[in-house]
Amino acid sequence: MKTIPLFYKTSLVYHRTLHIARRTILKTMQAIKTKFAPFLYMLFAIFHIGLCSYYAVPYLVSDDKTFYQVTIPNKPITLYASYAGADKHYGFFAPGVAPDVRILFEIEDTEKGCFTEEFALPEANSEISHRLYTMRSVFAKVTEFQDFGATSLAAAMFNKYNTAQQVEVQVEVMNTPTMKAYQAGERPNWIRIYESTFQKKN
Amino acid sequence: MKPLTNSIIQFFTAPSSPKPLGFFRIAVAAFALIQAFLLGSYLVELYGNYGYIQWMLTDAFAHEYMPRLSWFADKLFPFGITPDGTLYLLFGAYIFCLFNLLLGWNTRWMALGAWLIHLTFIKSSSLTTYGVEAFTHIALFYCFLFPTGKAFSIDSWIRGGTNQATPFATTSIRILQLHLCIVYFTGGIGKALGPTWWDGEAIWTALMQPQFMQMDMTWMSEYILLAQILCWGTLIVEIGYPFFIYYPKTRNLMLVSIVGLHLGIAIFLGLSLFASLMIILNISAFGGSLAQSLKNATIQLFKKGSAIGTTKALATT
């Protein structure tokens, strides 16, 4: 009877073990890829959608919609929600349509005299115009912001007109009559809600 | 309990084609490029340190860990790059990322870049951003998260992609679908809580505002019922969205209704970019069934046409 050398036997066992280990690893990897990864992604999807609802739903019943903020004690989740856009709420034109707002600058200029300018870019496209509208709306809604915002805008005006000595910032909201009132002859009018004067320091 | 769990797993992971995600990526990237083109000429006024709202003020509104233009400006200033230079540099990088995202070259990295730069811009101008920015931000995040490079992209072409159905594509589409359901349902309920959406005054007020007025709509004051119907229609479409869109028989009707609603917003309120983005999101999420129905209808019409042609030909002979 022919005997198989020991080294050959060991090598055979070694290669067989290696083969089984490799096959097991590959099978596990395949299982992770086809079964666990989709399952984990599904769990993540449920978490993400749950988070979106968590931020969006309480907004509906909140009293203070301007300063509405949901706080989650977990910082990483709050950060994830902000980065992923899951912290948004969707109250467009809700519960009603906010009135239009306009901002006027009454400027006293040493060279150009006294003149009024509206905070608008008539030559700009509608996208720019919608952004300026958002800013004007913040002015009207958030009273705490008005002084800071007016200072910032006055600075922009002093920057635009180098010889201006004084800038008065005026904020007005549009009062739209109801359909019935409009039928009766009432027309939209502007109501001033804020004004502040800034002078250049020499 | 087990059948329910299985149904949920099936709902999220039954393999589907990545093609809708490829469409989503291309449409979102093209949209963001158009938006960037429209904003490009007023970059300094809107986002600059000495624009309408200075960075000092916008930084106060932002979360401490949120990226802002001032961060980058501080880091680049020692290299002789001014704050406005930083602004243009980032804007250029944003355009580069969007363009490559459109083509689907290094898709995930480009989506990551576009998403983070967009976030930097909106966090540096939180006082001038409106709804469209919120949805652009969400859409760019989804372009990064979802396997959007698996179809209609250079990446998939290089890898010899076969547009193979995967569970990841289904889960991704489900995320988008459910997010849209939350958007419309909460938006609709929010509107229903206000009295002006019941008496028709909401539509009237919006149409009368100089900001949104596209044409003279004062005649509407004579037709209060029309304004009421438009308001109620909006409430039905928005609140009913999650229910009608998932019911197969009403899905296409709901999709057409919601697209109609956004077209109305674009035409009568001038919010064209916002409306186009919402249409893109809706078509990416639920357009598959509508496309299939249209395809089937066209095939049937073609078959019918050829059958009539054959009958006529036979009758002539």
Side-chain angles (χ1 to χ4, degrees), chain B residues 164-205:
Chain B
Q164 203 183 354
T166 67
F168 298 104
T170 313
T171 314
S172 305
I173 283 292
R174 294 300 187 205
I175 292 176
L176 185 60
Q177 290 178 345
L178 292 170
H179 201 157
L180 282 176
C181 289
I182 296 169
V183 169
Y184 287 114
F185 186 71
T186 55
I189 296 284
K191 286 182 181 74
L193 292 173
T196 54
W197 281 95
W198 293 102
D199 58 19
E201 291 295 333
I203 292 257
W204 163 253
T205 313

Side-chain angles (χ1 to χ4, degrees), chain A residues 48 83 90 98 125 131 177 183, chain B residues 65 133 142 179 204 209 221:
Chain A
H48 180 78
Y83 270 83
Y90 312 100
N125 59 60
R131 277 163 176 76
Q183 274 183 47
Chain B
Y65 293 107
E133 295 295 7
Y142 285 162
H179 201 157
W204 163 253
Q209 289 202 7
S221 65

Side-chain angles (χ1 to χ4, degrees), chain A residues 33-34 37-39 41-42 44-46 48-50 52-53 56-57 60-61 65 75 78-101 119-121 123-136 138-139 145 148-149 151-153 155-157 159-160 174 176-180 182-183 188 190, chain B residues 8-9 12-13 35 38-39 41-42 46-47 50-54 57 61 63-67 115-116 119 127-135 137-138 141-142 145-147 167-168 171-172 175 178-179 182-183 186-187 189-191 193-197 199-202 204-206 208-212 218 220-222 224 227 269-274:
Chain A
K33 204 176 166 187
T34 56
F39 185 72
Y41 190 40
M42 183 193 78
F44 166 76
I46 294 169
H48 180 78
I49 289 301
C52 292
S53 317
V57 176
L60 302 173
V61 285
K65 288 199 163 44
K75 209 171 184 177
T78 314
L79 265 183
Y80 167 76
S82 296
Y83 270 83
D87 63 346
K88 307 276 185 269
H89 43 82
Y90 312 100
F92 309 117
F93 291 149
V97 179
D100 202 347
V101 182
F119 177 56
L121 295 163
E123 73 283 6
N125 59 60
S126 64
E127 266 319 289
I128 307 284
S129 166
H130 290 316
R131 277 163 176 76
L132 297 188
Y133 169 77
T134 310
M135 207 171 102
R136 298 199 303 265
V138 175
F139 247 110
F145 169 71
F148 299 111
T151 312
S152 189
L153 283 176
M157 282 299 121
N159 210 21
K160 188 176 175 185
M174 193 184 192
T176 311
T178 62
M179 285 181 273
K180 275 184 184 162
Y182 192 88
Q183 274 183 47
W190 294 97
Chain B
I8 293 172
I9 293 173
F12 276 104
T13 60
Q35 187 191 39
L38 290 171
L39 296 177
S41 46
Y42 288 92
L46 290 174
Y47 302 105
Y50 297 107
Y52 289 124
I53 300 292
Q54 280 91 66
L57 203 57
F61 278 84
H63 192 282
E64 56 178 320
Y65 293 107
M66 284 288 133
W115 162 51
L116 290 179
L119 185 67
L127 298 170
T128 55
T129 56
Y130 72 106
V132 75
E133 295 295 7
F135 284 102
H137 172 53
I138 292 167
F141 172 68
Y142 285 162
L145 178 73
F146 300 167
F168 298 104
T171 314
S172 305
I175 292 176
L178 292 170
H179 201 157
I182 296 169
V183 169
T186 55
I189 296 284
K191 286 182 181 74
L193 292 173
T196 54
W197 281 95
D199 58 19
E201 291 295 333
W204 163 253
T205 313
M208 286 298 286
Q209 289 202 7
Q211 177 61 34
F212 300 120
T218 50
M220 197 176 257
S221 65
E222 305 284 332
I224 297 175
L269 298 179
L271 292 160
S272 20
L273 267 197
F274 177 73

Side-chain angles (χ1 to χ4, degrees), chain A residues 1-175:
Chain A
M1 202 179 137
K2 206 177 175 182
T3 51
I4 302 165
L6 184 67
F7 79 91
Y8 187 73
K9 265 186 181 175
T10 323
S11 165
L12 205 70
V13 170
Y14 170 74
H15 278 102
R16 184 88 189 131
T17 319
L18 206 71
H19 176 70
I20 292 168
R22 213 167 70 181
R23 208 173 58 185
T24 317
I25 290 168
L26 277 172
K27 269 189 175 177
T28 317
M29 293 286 280
Q30 193 66 20
I32 289 172
K33 204 176 166 187
T34 56
K35 287 184 183 164
F36 292 109
F39 185 72
L40 285 178
Y41 190 40
M42 183 193 78
L43 291 183
F44 166 76
I46 294 169
F47 161 75
H48 180 78
I49 289 301
L51 201 62
C52 292
S53 317
Y54 184 81
Y55 277 96
V57 176
Y59 173 77
L60 302 173
V61 285
S62 68
D63 293 327
D64 185 4
K65 288 199 163 44
T66 310
F67 286 110
Y68 166 78
Q69 207 172 9
V70 170
T71 43
I72 295 179
N74 191 314
K75 209 171 184 177
I77 293 180
T78 314
L79 265 183
Y80 167 76
S82 296
Y83 270 83
D87 63 346
K88 307 276 185 269
H89 43 82
Y90 312 100
F92 309 117
F93 291 149
V97 179
D100 202 347
V101 182
R102 72 176 179 186
I103 299 173
L104 301 167
F105 303 107
E106 218 169 87
I107 302 161
E108 274 182 37
D109 192 296
T110 43
E111 281 181 10
K112 291 174 183 162
C114 192
F115 61 96
T116 307
E117 188 174 301
E118 191 175 341
F119 177 56
L121 295 163
E123 73 283 6
N125 59 60
S126 64
E127 266 319 289
I128 307 284
S129 166
H130 290 316
R131 277 163 176 76
L132 297 188
Y133 169 77
T134 310
M135 207 171 102
R136 298 199 303 265
S137 300
V138 175
F139 247 110
K141 278 188 212 161
V142 189
T143 45
E144 290 84 345
F145 169 71
Q146 285 169 346
D147 284 338
F148 299 111
T151 312
S152 189
L153 283 176
M157 282 299 121
F158 280 123
N159 210 21
K160 188 176 175 185
Y161 301 105
N162 292 326
T163 47
Q165 293 303 308
Q166 182 179 294
V167 174
E168 188 183 38
V169 182
Q170 303 165 353
V171 183
E172 296 179 340
V173 292
M174 193 184 192
N175 173 37

Side-chain angles (χ1 to χ4, degrees), chain B:
Chain B
M1 193 66 193
K2 210 176 173 185
L4 179 73
T5 318
N6 284 342
S7 304
I8 293 172
I9 293 173
Q10 190 69 10
F11 175 77
F12 276 104
T13 60
S16 69
S17 164
K19 279 181 184 174
L21 296 174
F23 166 79
F24 173 72
R25 186 200 79 241
I26 292 170
V28 168
F31 164 84
L33 277 169
I34 294 169
Q35 187 191 39
F37 172 75
L38 290 171
L39 296 177
S41 46
Y42 288 92
L43 218 54
V44 176
E45 286 86 346
L46 290 174
Y47 302 105
N49 191 16
Y50 297 107
Y52 289 124
I53 300 292
Q54 280 91 66
W55 287 352
M56 200 175 64
L57 203 57
T58 47
D59 282 2
F61 278 84
H63 192 282
E64 56 178 320
Y65 293 107
M66 284 288 133
R68 295 181 300 270
L69 284 164
S70 56
W71 279 13
F72 294 93
D74 289 347
K75 295 277 181 294
L76 294 174
F77 194 71
F79 301 99
I81 299 171
T82 60
D84 283 353
T86 308
L87 180 66
Y88 282 113
L89 205 67
L90 274 177
F91 191 69
Y94 181 58
I95 301 288
F96 174 78
C97 289
L98 284 178
F99 188 69
N100 286 310
L101 183 66
L102 179 81
L103 299 176
W105 180 69
N106 283 319
T107 312
R108 198 145 259 167
W109 288 110
M110 292 303 152
L112 176 71
W115 162 51
L116 290 179
I117 298 173
H118 182 265
L119 185 67
T120 307
F121 273 97
I122 60 171
K123 290 296 167 191
S124 308
S125 61
S126 48
L127 298 170
T128 55
T129 56
Y130 72 106
V132 75
E133 295 295 7
F135 284 102
T136 312
H137 172 53
I138 292 167
L140 287 173
F141 172 68
Y142 285 162
C143 278
F144 163 67
L145 178 73
F146 300 167
T148 52
K150 296 276 180 200
F152 311 131
S153 65
I154 293 177
D155 286 347
S156 70
W157 180 67
I158 290 170
R159 289 183 197 127
T162 51
N163 291 331
Q164 203 183 354
T166 67
F168 298 104
T170 313
T171 314
S172 305
I173 283 292
R174 294 300 187 205
I175 292 176
L176 185 60
Q177 290 178 345
L178 292 170
H179 201 157
L180 282 176
C181 289
I182 296 169
V183 169
Y184 287 114
F185 186 71
T186 55
I189 296 284
K191 286 182 181 74
L193 292 173
T196 54
W197 281 95
W198 293 102
D199 58 19
E201 291 295 333
I203 292 257
W204 163 253
T205 313
L207 290 172
M208 286 298 286
Q209 289 202 7
Q211 177 61 34
F212 300 120
M213 194 186 278
Q214 301 298 305
M215 56 195 93
D216 180 22
M217 296 296 284
T218 50
W219 54 266
M220 197 176 257
S221 65
E222 305 284 332
Y223 305 95
I224 297 175
L225 187 64
L226 175 68
Q228 278 179 329
I229 291 169
L230 288 172
C231 282
W232 298 339
T234 308
L235 293 181
I236 292 168
V237 169
E238 290 200 356
I239 298 170
Y241 186 87
F243 310 104
F244 295 123
I245 205 82
Y246 272 115
Y247 185 57
K249 284 183 179 172
T250 52
R251 181 173 300 155
N252 290 345
L253 177 71
M254 177 45 80
L255 193 57
V256 171
S257 307
I258 206 79
V259 168
L261 176 80
H262 288 300
L263 282 178
I265 289 173
I267 295 165
F268 294 102
L269 298 179
L271 292 160
S272 20
L273 267 197
F274 177 73
S276 14
L277 182 57
M278 293 315 290
I279 292 171
I280 289 170
L281 296 179
N282 273 287
I283 290 178
S284 305
F286 294 104
S289 71
L290 186 67
Q292 193 60 44
S293 305
L294 287 173
K295 197 177 160 185
N296 290 345
T298 318
I299 290 169
Q300 276 200 341
L301 205 74
F302 183 72
K303 275 183 183 170
K304 216 176 172 180
S306 60
I308 293 168
T310 319
T311 322
K312 273 184 182 171
L314 281 173
T316 326
T317 50

